Amino acid sequence: RAAAAADLSALAAADTVRGLRDGDACAVAGEVADRNGAVLTACTVDTGDDTVQVNTEVAAGMVPWPATGRARAGPPP
């Protein structure tokens, strides 16, 4: 779940950076992470190449530490 939330968050944020949707890229990433049961823990936007990197966390049940996900997205080469 953490990896899937990171992937979706990064894609939505990258679309925002490219102007395909409205809003702040990291705010959009946080909303998408939240809708997927995760917490956005980091978001970095590189406006030089229009890429976004995000980190997410999801509570891992009985384990005392969260599962984490990381993803990077941007325009096609």
Side-chain angles (χ1 to χ4, degrees):
R1 273 186 21 208
D7 289 342
L8 294 169
S9 297
L11 289 169
D15 283 351
T16 305
V17 170
R18 293 178 57 209
L20 300 175
R21 67 182 293 164
D22 293 329
D24 174 75
C26 290
V28 168
E31 291 169 10
V32 171
D34 184 56
R35 281 185 263 156
N36 285 277
V39 174
L40 183 71
T41 58
C43 177
T44 305
V45 177
D46 183 346
T47 55
D49 61 2
D50 291 340
T51 60
V52 179
Q53 181 168 323
V54 301
N55 296 346
T56 59
E57 289 186 351
V58 173
M62 302 292 269
V63 181
W65 55 87
T68 60
R70 180 180 302 175
R72 182 179 173 276

